[in-house]
Amino acid sequence: MSTVTSELKKVTTHTIQAMKVKGEKIAMLTAYDFSMARILDEAGIDILLVGDSASNVMAGHETTLPITLDQMIYHAQSVVRAVKRAMVVVDLPFGSYQANSEVALSSAIRIMKESGAHAVKLEGGSEVEESIRRILMAGIPVMGHLGLTPQSIYKFGTYTVRAKEEAEAEKLVQDAKMLDELGCFACVLEKIPAKLAEKVTNSIEIPTIGIGAGAKVDGQVLVIHDMLGITKEFKPRFLRRYLDLFDQINSATKAYINDVKNGEFPNEQEQY
Ligand code: KIV
C-alpha cells in the first residue's frame, strides 16, 4: 500500500512547511533505535522524533528528567543510521539548554555534529527565547514544544491538560507567535484543549503537531511504545493503540519458553 508521502524524496523543513500550506497532515512518531526507525521510515513516516521520552520507555525512569545529552546522542545516531526519507528531530534533554543560550547552542551543535540529525526540539516559550534565537542563528532548525512540557513536571505537579485557564491560554498563544516569528519550523502542542490548539494553528504560519490537542492541528505525534501497545498501563484519552504488542510479545515469549523446556525447539529443520 502506498501513502501520499511515501516516495523517497527526503523530508526537510521546507517539505514540512509546504505540507501546512497544502493542507496535508504531518505524521510524526518517536523512535529511539535503529530497527524500529527503519520500519517507521519504510512505512512513510514524515518525522521521527528522538524524544526524551526515551527516558521513560527505553530506560524505565518515571520522568524525562534523568536522560543525558550523551544518551540522547546515542539514540539519535541509531535512528539516523536507519533513515532514508524521514526528517529526524532530536529533543534537547533537561539540563542541556536551560542554564543560558550558550549552553543551549553548544548542546544543539553536539546533537547535530555527533548524530547527523536534521533538527532539535526544545520545550518552552518566552523563557527560552534567547536560546532558540542563537540555535537558529547557527543554522540549526528548531521545533518548539508548548502546552504540557514534561521537563517541567515538578513545577506543574501533574500531567493533566494545560492552558484551560484564560491567562495560561493567552501566554501559550503569544509563545506560539513568538516561535513563529523567531523562525522555528514547527511546534508541538501537547495536551491542551482542542479549541485552543485550533486557534494557535490558525494564528501562526508554521505547522503545529499535536499530542492530545485534537484534530484541528497540522499533524499528530505519538510515542511509538504507546501507539503499539507496548506500554500497557498508560491510557490517556488521546491515545489510540494500533497494536497490543505487550500481550503479543508476552504470548510469543511464553510459547518460546514452552518449546525450549519441552525440547520442541529447535526441530530437525532448525539445525545443521
Ligand atoms: O519526548 C517525546 O516523546 C515528546 C513527544 C511526546 C512530543 O516530546
Side-chain angles (χ1 to χ4, degrees):
M1 194 181 80
S2 73
T3 57
V4 189
T5 54
S6 63
E7 70 273 8
L8 263 183
K9 197 159 175 278
K10 281 188 188 297
V11 179
T12 66
T13 54
H14 298 282
T15 324
I16 297 301
Q17 286 177 319
M19 285 169 83
K20 173 158 183 153
V21 174
K22 284 188 277 180
E24 182 183 340
K25 296 277 188 185
I26 300 156
M28 173 159 124
L29 281 168
T30 65
Y32 319 99
D33 69 271
F34 176 87
S35 304
M36 185 65 79
R38 196 167 154 228
I39 299 171
L40 306 181
D41 185 53
E42 282 201 17
I45 199 75
D46 297 312
I47 304 178
L48 283 178
L49 171 66
V50 184
D52 58 359
S53 49
S55 180
N56 309 106
V57 297
M58 299 300 289
H61 293 297
E62 211 170 292
T63 72
T64 57
L65 275 67
I67 199 161
T68 65
L69 185 57
D70 284 338
Q71 289 165 339
M72 289 301 295
I73 290 171
Y74 166 79
H75 287 296
Q77 287 168 336
S78 310
V79 169
V80 167
R81 263 180 234 124
V83 162
K84 294 199 170 79
R85 175 185 171 273
M87 181 175 190
V88 179
V89 180
V90 183
D91 263 334
L92 280 165
F94 178 70
S96 75
Y97 63 97
Q98 286 88 350
N100 58 52
S101 63
E102 199 177 320
V103 172
L105 177 59
S106 86
S107 300
I109 288 176
R110 275 202 63 199
I111 287 178
M112 300 299 282
K113 229 178 167 51
E114 296 177 36
S115 76
H118 312 124
V120 298
K121 174 166 86 57
L122 69 164
E123 298 181 2
S126 53
E127 315 78 23
V128 286
E129 176 176 356
E130 191 49 32
S131 297
I132 293 176
R133 204 185 287 282
R134 284 193 73 177
I135 296 170
L136 287 169
M137 267 167 49
I140 301 172
V142 175
M143 177 181 273
H145 184 154
L146 301 173
L148 177 64
T149 47
Q151 290 179 13
S152 306
I153 183 57
Y154 291 117
K155 184 173 118 190
F156 295 149
T158 72
Y159 286 103
T160 51
V161 181
R162 302 302 312 172
K164 280 162 98 176
E165 307 300 327
E166 182 71 30
E168 195 181 337
E170 186 46 37
K171 177 175 180 332
L172 194 145
V173 173
Q174 293 314 318
D175 281 343
K177 287 184 177 163
M178 184 204 79
L179 296 177
D180 188 5
E181 280 156 22
L182 285 177
C184 292
F185 75 95
C187 177
V188 166
L189 298 176
E190 180 164 354
K191 228 170 170 189
I192 61 170
K195 280 261 172 283
L196 176 61
E198 181 179 6
K199 180 176 170 189
V200 171
T201 301
N202 294 334
S203 315
I204 60 177
E205 301 290 321
I206 58 172
T208 55
I209 306 196
I211 174 163
K216 300 281 176 59
V217 286
D218 300 307
Q220 298 290 334
V221 56
L222 285 176
V223 169
I224 189 68
H225 289 63
D226 300 335
M227 180 271 206
L228 295 178
I230 298 173
T231 48
K232 212 174 155 63
E233 293 82 19
F234 184 63
K235 289 180 186 153
R237 189 202 295 197
F238 68 77
L239 176 62
R240 185 178 298 178
R241 289 197 196 286
Y242 288 80
L243 282 175
D244 283 307
L245 271 194
F246 185 101
D247 291 339
Q248 288 171 261
I249 295 173
N250 187 280
S251 300
T253 308
K254 283 182 177 153
Y256 169 75
I257 294 169
N258 202 43
D259 287 351
V260 171
K261 303 263 180 204
N262 294 333
E264 286 165 17
F265 175 78
N267 63 22
E268 284 297 317
Q269 287 74 47
E270 290 162 336
Q271 52 189 288
Y272 301 99

